[in-house]
Amino acid sequence: MPNPYKDLDNAKFWKKAVADVAPDQIHPRAGKRFLLTKTDLLATAGSCFAQNVAKYLRGSQIVQVLEAEPLREQDPIFSGRFGNIYTARQMLQLFEEVQSGVIDSECAVQRRDDSRWVDVNRPFMEPDGFANAQDVIDARKAHIKAIAPIFEDPSVFIFTLGLTEGWINPASGRVYPVCPGVYSDDANLNYAFYNFSYEEILADMEQFIACMSRVNPGIRVLLTVSPVPLTATYACDDVMTATILSKSILRAVCGALESRLDNAFYFPSYEMIANPFTAGSSYCDNLRTVRQDAIEAVMRRFEVDYTSSRVGWDAEDDEEAICDDVQIENSMGF
Amino acid sequence: MKVIIIANCAHRAYYNYLTGTHPDWDVRAVVPVQAKSWIAEGREAFGAFLAEADLFVGFTGVNEIATYVNPSAHKVGLPPFAFRAFMPDLIGVKGFTGVLESGDAHSRIAMAGYLSGLTTQETAQLFNAEHYGQLGYYDQYEDHRAAMLAKAAKCGFDLTEALDCWLKTDRFLYYPVHPNTRFFFDMIHMAMMSSGCPPDISDAAVSDLRNGFDDYLSNGVHWPVYPEIASHFGIEAWPTHWRLSAANNSGQSYNLEQMLEKSFALYKASPDRLDSMLTVLGGASEVARYAAKTL
């Protein structure tokens, strides 16, 4: 029986891929990848970290990035003005709302600070709020109609999973991106803490990808996990323990999806940022915000892994390539 | 003047250039793998030469080697060469020797055809202009050009004019990492001039050296520039065939049908490689795309 590790490349060995590599050259890589071309149309959604990816891709001209709604300068950079989508359930919920055309009729909630009205599904999208509840509902109707192309048109959908913890309406089952009590005293709002399990998140993501694939055959879903720690937890563990549990679950879900679904892929930006093996931290002084240079390094690796013809033949290989097909001496003059 | 060159298959070209332009210099060249091996073995003569070198040429950023080079040595960095835009169908499967019987090069479409259960005849039909367009084979020129220029810029010289000139030259590439070796001549000449190290010989002698430069890579493997891709870029469709190395092998050439027959036979005999092929292509959905099949 031959040694099965014998012909494996350097990336499979810790010493060669991590321990003996300059910290800025460590390059975590998923084995299952695909090739992006300039004709690909991308849509992006997810947690706040996903904005970094969308921002970079919009500026890079590597691909076309779908913008279903015109973004204003202060808007979070996604393919529509839906704001941060932290949980898998929230993503599925938005997809179902778009597909059914039946909007969340209880979306209007009154803000604590100035009594203006906002959409509970994207409470920070309109900094000035709305004058009344009906205006919120009308805006949501227009928004839901406008963002339908983000599921139907792109060839690649990039989604960053952010949290397991969320706040849901026990009566309707709707999940909110932010606990409404943070910004509202609206007595009509009923909400409760909910920490989604691995099984629930996996089921939500499988359903989302399966449904989206039905309206958009050929869509490829590229998953990432946000490396941004929790701002706060409402679970019984402390915030560090809750963060690690949350990220571990989300990473495991990505692994399961990548393994089970042909059109699901994982890009290890989380591993690039949150690993303890590179020199220096990828985080700012608050130990939460990801440094800009770290984001740029991640995106450079994204370009290497997903663009041009480099899939399967790494740029670094050029330096190691030995051309044994011509009679070249390994050395001259020695 | 003691000169150490660290580079892969270009090291012989750099050696020929430096010994030709500076006949009095003591020039030595070695490929990175060999250099690392000698360092690991503690080969004294090699270590002593590195420690005494006045000039360090080539892959000056390879840390495992650079650490041992005289810190006062002048450095002239040269980037590894790779230009895949004219041969976008070629992909490497590490450790799996491909149809050229040397190196790990395979055809993406051939692998996808085999993995999808197509016949060689059906797979041959996929080698057409429209399918290449769907696969993005025409979209990679600017990226690869920019990547090569960026690598040169990182080494401190501007390769734009020379690269653009070479990219319009017929019969420039034998393989994505094997250009006509005069390209290496031009690159090291530019790098040396930029670095303040002009030749010790006359311009006319430099020109003669270039005209007679040993194009040893022409004897190596060939991967064809597919006619439709050549037509798209306005260059000659050359090489025309897949060719085994003439230096180290029979030099036998294959047309498309023969390449597919040979590839399929290879894949059939290598069931343990199917996972690697699937992975390197990017999974089942990508295999389906290359094979123009609906999932």
Side-chain angles (χ1 to χ4, degrees):
Chain A
M1 185 76 179
N3 178 355
Y5 292 96
K6 183 171 169 286
D7 292 331
L8 295 183
D9 61 41
N10 289 351
K12 305 291 186 185
F13 298 93
W14 189 263
K15 181 174 165 56
K16 293 175 181 172
V18 183
D20 285 353
V21 177
D24 63 345
Q25 296 298 312
I26 295 173
H27 186 155
R29 226 181 226 130
K32 181 183 172 187
R33 303 199 294 274
F34 61 92
L35 191 66
L36 281 171
T37 70
K38 286 181 178 169
T39 55
D40 273 314
L41 181 63
L42 260 68
T44 64
S47 77
C48 53
F49 183 73
Q51 290 188 52
N52 297 318
V53 178
K55 187 176 177 183
Y56 187 92
L57 290 175
R58 283 201 332 171
S60 71
Q61 299 184 328
I62 298 168
V63 291
Q64 305 168 65
V65 180
L66 177 63
E67 199 173 293
E69 289 177 299
L71 298 183
R72 299 165 305 186
E73 196 175 344
Q74 74 273 19
D75 286 341
I77 299 171
F78 294 112
S79 289
R81 299 183 59 237
F82 33 77
N84 294 332
I85 296 176
Y86 293 108
T87 58
R89 181 68 54 85
Q90 194 191 344
M91 187 72 256
L92 177 61
Q93 179 178 281
L94 182 66
F95 174 81
E96 289 177 337
E97 201 173 348
V98 168
Q99 292 305 304
S100 68
V102 180
I103 69 144
D104 174 18
S105 58
E106 297 176 342
C107 64
V109 56
Q110 200 161 20
R111 216 154 49 186
R112 176 188 297 126
D113 290 347
D114 57 6
S115 298
R116 300 282 289 177
W117 291 80
V118 294
D119 184 343
V120 72
N121 300 290
R122 44 179 190 152
F124 306 124
M125 187 56 67
E126 295 294 342
D128 296 334
F130 291 91
N132 55 62
Q134 188 57 47
D135 286 353
V136 174
I137 292 170
D138 289 346
R140 183 152 194 85
K141 278 181 187 168
H143 166 63
I144 291 299
K145 189 175 177 185
I147 64 171
I150 73 161
F151 303 115
E152 296 163 2
D153 292 350
S155 54
V156 179
F157 192 93
I158 298 184
F159 182 59
T160 299
L161 290 99
L163 296 174
T164 60
E165 295 186 19
W167 294 82
I168 65 168
N169 184 320
S172 67
R174 285 194 72 85
V175 61
Y176 303 128
V178 179
C179 172
V182 169
Y183 58 87
S184 173
D185 290 330
D186 196 323
N188 294 323
L189 262 179
N190 182 17
Y191 52 86
F193 175 71
Y194 197 86
N195 203 355
F196 289 96
S197 69
Y198 167 83
E199 290 80 7
E200 288 170 320
I201 297 167
L202 180 58
D204 286 344
M205 285 304 299
E206 283 189 313
Q207 189 178 345
F208 167 60
I209 294 172
C211 291
M212 184 164 58
S213 300
R214 276 198 287 276
V215 300
N216 184 356
I219 183 82
R220 288 162 289 174
V221 179
L222 183 56
L223 301 163
T224 66
V225 171
S226 167
V228 179
L230 275 62
T231 302
T233 181
Y234 199 72
C236 61
D237 294 329
D238 77 290
V239 69
M240 172 78 82
T241 308
T243 293
I244 299 299
L245 176 62
S246 174
K247 302 300 177 186
S248 302
I249 288 172
L250 297 176
R251 177 63 187 89
V253 165
C254 290
L257 292 168
E258 185 191 25
S259 163
R260 293 181 189 187
L261 306 177
D262 283 341
N263 62 338
F265 301 82
Y266 175 69
F267 176 64
S269 55
Y270 175 77
E271 284 80 349
M272 294 173 194
I273 298 288
N275 81 72
F277 307 109
T278 48
S281 170
S282 294
Y283 295 93
C284 296
D285 290 344
N286 64 5
L287 300 183
R288 187 167 182 276
T289 308
V290 179
R291 290 159 50 114
Q292 188 57 36
D293 59 341
I295 291 168
E296 286 168 5
V298 166
M299 294 315 299
R300 280 197 297 276
R301 291 183 173 95
F302 179 85
E303 280 198 56
V304 169
D305 288 351
Y306 279 90
T307 65
S308 67
S309 64
R310 291 174 177 174
V311 178
W313 190 347
D314 304 330
E316 296 93 311
D317 293 347
D318 296 341
E319 290 190 14
E320 294 297 336
I322 291 292
C323 309
D324 54 4
D325 64 292
V326 284
Q327 289 173 329
I328 302 172
E329 307 85 341
N330 272 357
S331 67
M332 300 179 79
F334 285 104
Chain B
M1 176 78 107
K2 291 188 174 180
V3 184
I4 180 68
I5 300 167
I6 303 289
N8 49 26
C9 47
H11 81 288
R12 181 164 150 187
Y14 299 153
Y15 179 89
N16 290 343
Y17 173 87
L18 288 174
T19 52
T21 53
H22 301 274
D24 297 333
W25 287 4
D26 180 3
V27 182
R28 317 278 181 97
V30 60
V31 299
V33 168
Q34 183 67 76
K36 290 177 192 174
S37 170
W38 283 347
I39 288 169
E41 291 168 15
R43 185 164 162 153
E44 287 183 15
F46 180 58
F49 195 83
L50 291 183
E52 294 167 2
D54 303 297
L55 178 62
F56 181 14
V57 177
F59 299 166
T60 53
V62 180
N63 291 335
E64 302 99 306
I65 302 166
T67 311
Y68 296 90
V69 177
N70 175 9
S72 305
H74 183 57
K75 289 183 181 176
V76 177
L78 289 161
F81 175 82
F83 191 79
R84 312 186 198 290
F86 295 156
M87 302 168 184
D89 187 45
L90 186 158
I91 190 169
V93 183
K94 279 242 173 148
F96 184 19
T97 301
V99 70
L100 298 177
E101 298 182 16
S102 173
D104 55 13
H106 297 255
S107 155
R108 294 172 193 268
I109 296 174
M111 287 202 300
Y114 180 82
L115 291 169
S116 301
L118 303 183
T119 64
T120 54
Q121 292 80 6
E122 288 167 336
T123 305
Q125 299 300 312
L126 297 172
F127 287 77
N128 65 72
E130 186 183 356
H131 192 44
Y132 298 155
Q134 290 161 347
L135 295 175
Y137 279 8
Y138 304 129
D139 303 336
Q140 301 172 20
Y141 181 91
E142 282 305 327
D143 288 346
H144 286 293
R145 178 180 170 276
M148 193 61 218
L149 294 179
K151 283 195 281 187
K154 199 174 169 186
C155 291
F157 64 96
D158 183 3
L159 190 61
T160 310
E161 194 177 335
L163 182 64
D164 285 348
C165 181
W166 273 108
L167 290 176
K168 291 172 191 158
T169 305
D170 291 335
R171 308 195 175 190
F172 164 49
L173 284 175
Y174 309 114
Y175 195 59
V177 293
H178 286 180
N180 182 312
T181 53
R182 284 200 192 96
F183 175 84
F184 290 140
F185 181 103
D186 291 347
M187 194 156 70
I188 189 172
H189 184 67
M190 249 180 297
M192 291 291 286
M193 295 291 281
S194 300
S195 196
C197 303
D200 288 340
I201 57 176
S202 67
D203 289 349
V206 171
S207 182
D208 287 346
L209 182 65
R210 185 178 186 277
N211 290 336
F213 211 56
D214 177 15
D215 190 15
Y216 55 92
L217 291 176
S218 65
N219 289 326
V221 291
H222 287 187
W223 190 277
V225 175
Y226 302 162
E228 298 83 355
I229 291 171
S231 171
H232 180 86
F233 290 111
I235 59 170
E236 183 186 358
W238 191 91
T240 55
H241 289 71
W242 288 261
R243 195 195 76 176
L244 306 188
S245 171
N248 245 10
N249 209 320
S250 64
Q252 186 177 355
S253 291
Y254 299 99
N255 62 23
L256 175 63
E257 288 71 26
Q258 291 167 325
M259 181 278 286
L260 289 172
E261 291 290 347
K262 193 171 160 71
S263 295
F264 274 44
L266 178 65
Y267 303 148
K268 190 175 179 184
S270 313
D272 56 326
R273 300 291 188 173
L274 297 186
D275 282 348
S276 300
M277 291 161 58
L278 186 64
T279 299
V280 88
L281 283 172
S285 61
E286 281 298 284
V287 168
R289 200 166 71 92
Y290 281 108
K293 291 188 87 174
T294 306
L295 279 176

